[in-house]
Amino acid sequence: MIQTTTRVSSRTVRIGVDIGGTKIEAVAIDEDCNVLHAVRRPTVRGNEALLSTLFDVLKELRGAETLADCSVSGLGIGIPGTVDTASGYVANAVNVGVTSLALGSLVEAEQGLPVSVENDVNAAALGAHYLLADGDTSGSSAYLNLGTGLAAGYVSNGVVVRGASGAAGEIGHLPLGHQGEECPCGQKGCLELIASGSGIARRWPAESQWPAVALFEAALDGDPLAKVVQQRFFEGVATAIRILGLTYDPSSIYVGGGLNALGQPLLKGIQRELVRFSSPSPFLGSLALGDRIQLVPQGLPIGSVGAAMAADQQLLLPNNLKEDPWQKSLLSATTPRPETSQQPSSPSKSPPTRP
């Protein structure tokens, strides 16, 4: 769980920053992923405003009395959009009003630290893996982000799996068929159109600021249409879980993002659909996917802690391997990971549906 300790004696810490659509959260963590200090500020959109707020957050964090005797080994940043992890360049981060930004080099020059930039869903996946793994981080896990959109992150042997182009985990844009609504990505019938906050808002328009909450309340009160929309949503999310289980077979599946605040009704609905899907299929039933699901506890800083962990892993890579995903994958399979212990933002991997 998140901890903020009293002043610590001289040690090396890592800084992680989670830049989201509503807030910027920065943490300093020790070698066991304990949070020594945290700073949060509202996000201000646009390149200059975002950088200004980020630098203010980092100044406050690094100036904290609890960190007075600490040295900083590196800084990791998780941000929505398309991220070139080799250069730290960010594009299409529409949640925070950034079209293009050389974020890594600008922060590195200002802070005087090695800086790593990661997609926010991947950072959250890494944070969940290390903070919720019950001490064993050597296995595999998947993180399903249920927010405005739908995306996933994979972790194997403690390392994020990005794929050749960084698109690994974009399951929200898997078409369920050749028919259906047009998705902002250009395809038709994408899974994200039903298994996401934006999907709920389209099917259940509500004056409430939180359409998903209004939908669940109406379904609980017996509204027939609300029940239909909610059922379709559960089917979509359970389909996403099946995709994760059948393509990657992770030992744990963590569910986070803004919609995980729906809590146990969400979890029970997903598990109920998985049981229904499994009833005609002994094979699917044998996988026990419903038993692998865990909601990320509210307030656990998986995004910022994961960003710090991502920075740590980037620093371990020789320079000639940093731009070669294939060699990185070979290295991750043979190089022991640093031992760390077992953390809400709404990360978003895919720009088209994250206004």
Side-chain angles (χ1 to χ4, degrees):
M1 298 297 292
I2 184 169
Q3 302 175 41
T4 302
T5 69
T6 56
R7 181 168 177 164
V8 293
S9 58
S10 180
R11 69 169 74 173
T12 299
V13 300
R14 296 155 290 175
I15 292 176
V17 182
D18 180 28
I19 298 178
T22 59
K23 76 174 188 306
I24 295 176
E25 176 182 79
V27 300
I29 64 172
D30 64 13
E31 63 277 6
D32 295 317
C33 287
N34 294 312
V35 176
L36 307 176
H37 197 76
V39 176
R40 299 174 186 86
R41 295 270 184 91
T43 300
V44 185
R45 293 166 56 87
N47 289 16
E48 291 187 12
L50 185 73
L51 283 171
S52 177
T53 305
L54 173 60
F55 293 154
D56 286 346
V57 166
L58 290 172
K59 180 179 180 181
E60 182 178 342
L61 180 74
R62 297 183 70 179
E65 184 180 356
T66 53
L67 306 179
D69 298 319
C70 296
S71 60
V72 181
S73 63
L75 191 162
I77 302 171
I79 187 169
T82 304
V83 176
D84 181 341
T85 56
S87 66
Y89 187 84
V90 179
N92 302 316
V94 293
N95 282 17
V96 295
V98 169
T99 301
S100 62
L101 181 65
L103 182 62
S105 59
L106 289 169
V107 176
E108 191 165 308
E110 205 273 345
Q111 293 292 307
L113 292 171
V115 173
S116 170
V117 184
E118 181 60 86
N119 171 268
D120 60 347
V121 172
N122 285 340
L126 196 60
H129 182 83
Y130 277 91
L131 291 169
L132 297 171
D134 292 329
D136 180 11
T137 59
S138 62
S140 63
S141 68
Y143 170 75
L144 182 65
N145 181 70
L146 287 177
T148 303
L150 176 73
Y154 307 115
V155 176
S156 177
N157 193 30
V159 180
V160 169
V161 178
R162 299 185 182 90
S165 63
E170 288 287 3
I171 63 171
H173 296 292
L174 282 171
L176 298 179
H178 297 298
Q179 306 301 319
E181 296 177 57
E182 185 171 332
C183 179
C185 79
Q187 302 183 100
K188 288 186 177 181
C190 289
L191 182 58
E192 182 174 279
L193 295 173
I194 58 171
S196 67
S198 58
I200 288 177
R202 276 193 299 273
R203 287 168 172 75
W204 187 256
E207 294 182 3
S208 168
Q209 184 180 359
W210 311 108
V213 174
L215 170 68
F216 273 56
E217 290 175 346
L220 186 62
D221 290 340
D223 185 295
L225 178 58
K227 286 185 171 183
V228 171
V229 175
Q230 185 188 54
Q231 174 63 21
R232 186 68 172 130
F233 168 72
F234 285 146
E235 290 175 358
V237 179
T239 296
I241 297 293
R242 280 194 296 173
I243 291 168
L244 297 180
L246 293 170
T247 57
Y248 188 58
D249 195 27
S251 55
S252 298
I253 301 173
Y254 303 117
V255 178
L259 295 187
N260 99 321
L262 294 166
Q264 288 303 305
L266 171 66
L267 179 60
K268 291 183 185 303
I270 298 170
Q271 290 174 327
R272 184 176 62 248
E273 285 307 297
L274 288 171
V275 169
R276 186 173 68 84
F277 288 157
S278 299
S279 61
S281 172
F283 162 66
L284 188 61
S286 71
L287 300 180
L289 295 177
D291 296 337
R292 307 189 199 187
I293 304 172
Q294 180 179 343
L295 296 182
V296 175
Q298 289 292 299
L300 203 63
I302 58 173
S304 50
V305 170
M309 296 302 303
D312 219 31
Q313 293 178 358
Q314 280 289 96
L315 290 174
L316 290 174
L317 288 172
N319 286 332
N320 66 320
L321 297 185
K322 288 185 178 180
E323 298 186 23
D324 189 332
W326 172 244
Q327 291 192 63
K328 279 194 206 178
S329 68
L330 293 179
L331 184 70
S332 69
T334 57
T335 304
R337 293 290 128 197
E339 289 198 14
T340 50
S341 73
Q342 1 171 353
Q343 254 215 31
S345 60
S346 291
S348 53
K349 229 176 181 180
S350 177
T353 55
R354 276 69 167 183

